[in-house]
């Protein structure tokens, strides 16, 4: 088992890893999105048949955050991209299987076709909310990654839910997914923490912690 902690590489300047916190009654300073962006924090653990990523996306910024923050994720190359980056080429768009928000997870093609430059290249990833114990997640990651496929294909969805390309999320919820690839890649996302919202006319904050387990 190999565990590595890393951040996404970017040509943009990276914010300090230990910012000085302002007094509690003062809002954190807004990020200038024409300058630097904090990359996602990622801890990667590799097993014989699966990869586990523990991901933290955390930003305080202005309303244009969604074009420059790296919230799009590609399973095959474990990449994080911003909307500006996936719009740079059809290949970049095709590499993005899904994206993360503080209130949901979605396939790249969901709701973004009106603002994607290469919508025909956006894959359709499917999600299903399921009930699964932490011990089973650990077993699937370390020993039986094939169960990620059977969990998606054979297990019932949570009551009043269904398979789709977008899911509204709550902390503690778990989702299995199937990528739009040949062959398909199966995986699991557990929402550990999520929060976000507006802090004024232009201010915005966004924080998500999640665990991703997927087949090699």
């Amino acid at each position: 088992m190999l565990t590595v902690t890393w951040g996404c590489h970017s040509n943009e300047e990276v914010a300090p890893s230990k910012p000085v916190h302002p007094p509690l009654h003062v809002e954190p300073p807004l990020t200038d999105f024409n300058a630097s962006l904090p990359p996602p924090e990622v801890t990667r653990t590799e097993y014989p048949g699966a990869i586990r990523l523990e991901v933290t996306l955390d930003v305080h910024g202005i309303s244009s955050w969604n074009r420059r923050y790296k919230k799009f994720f590609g399973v095959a190359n474990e990449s994080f991209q911003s909307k500006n980056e996936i719009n740079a080429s059809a290949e970049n768009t095709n590499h993005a299987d899904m994206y993360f928000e503080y209130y949901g997870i979605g396939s790249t093609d969901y709701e973004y076709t009106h603002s994607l430059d290469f919508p025909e290249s956006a894959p359709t990833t499917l999600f299903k909310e399921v009930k699964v114990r932490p011990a089973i997640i650990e077993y699937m990651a370390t020993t039986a990654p094939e169960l990620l496929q059977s969990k998606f294909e054979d297990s019932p969805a949570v009551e009043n839910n269904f398979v789709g390309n977008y899911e509204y999320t709550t902390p503690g919820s778990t989702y299995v997914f199937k990528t739009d690839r040949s062959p398909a890649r199966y995986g699991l996302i557990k929402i550990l923490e999520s929060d976000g919202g507006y802090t004024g006319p232009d201010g915005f904050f966004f924080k998500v912690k999640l665990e991703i387990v997927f087949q090699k």
Side-chain angles (χ1 to χ4, degrees):
M1 183 180 72
L2 176 65
T3 301
V4 181
T5 300
W6 51 279
C8 285
H9 294 291
S10 172
N11 292 328
E12 298 173 294
E13 190 177 340
V14 178
S17 60
K18 294 184 179 180
V20 177
H21 295 289
L24 293 179
H25 65 281
V26 177
E27 289 292 339
L30 298 182
T31 301
D32 177 2
F33 280 84
N34 291 317
S36 60
L37 284 176
E41 295 179 7
V42 180
T43 298
R44 181 184 189 273
T45 305
E46 184 170 356
Y47 302 100
I51 303 293
R52 186 206 306 268
L53 303 180
E54 295 179 11
V55 181
T56 300
L57 303 94
D58 188 3
V59 68
H60 291 263
I62 57 178
S63 57
S64 62
W65 69 277
N66 64 332
R67 299 200 66 86
R68 297 180 61 82
Y69 194 66
K70 297 177 183 290
K71 65 175 185 174
F72 290 87
F73 176 66
V75 172
N77 55 7
E78 302 176 33
S79 63
F80 286 87
Q81 300 185 80
S82 69
K83 187 183 287 188
N84 283 346
E85 288 170 325
I86 68 172
N87 276 337
S89 70
E91 182 180 12
N92 284 4
T93 302
N94 185 256
H95 282 166
D97 292 299
M98 64 191 75
Y99 66 94
F100 307 117
E101 297 175 320
Y102 73 89
Y103 50 81
I105 53 176
S107 173
T108 301
D109 70 334
Y110 177 79
E111 259 188 5
Y112 279 91
T113 52
H114 66 283
S115 59
L116 289 179
D117 291 346
F118 304 95
E120 69 283 353
S121 298
T124 301
T125 299
L126 298 176
F127 303 91
K128 179 167 69 172
E129 185 177 3
V130 294
K131 297 292 187 183
V132 55
R133 292 181 289 114
I136 299 301
I137 296 176
E138 185 70 17
Y139 179 67
M140 289 190 289
T142 61
T143 307
E146 68 277 5
L147 293 181
L148 292 165
Q149 177 175 347
S150 62
K151 194 69 176 174
F152 182 92
E153 299 291 356
D154 303 326
S155 297
V158 171
E159 186 178 0
N160 298 324
N161 210 333
F162 54 90
V163 175
N165 64 345
Y166 189 87
E167 291 279 355
Y168 289 101
T169 59
T170 55
S173 54
T174 303
Y175 305 85
V176 285
F177 65 82
K178 178 181 181 179
T179 64
D180 186 12
R181 308 292 174 184
S182 182
R185 299 275 291 276
Y186 293 86
L188 175 148
I189 300 169
K190 184 174 181 63
I191 310 300
L192 305 176
E193 180 182 336
S194 61
D195 194 15
Y198 291 95
T199 58
D202 296 314
F204 191 91
F205 74 97
F206 170 95
K207 184 170 186 178
V208 174
K209 284 187 174 183
L210 44 86
E211 176 185 13
I212 312 172
V213 176
F214 53 90
Q215 298 169 329
K216 283 187 174 178

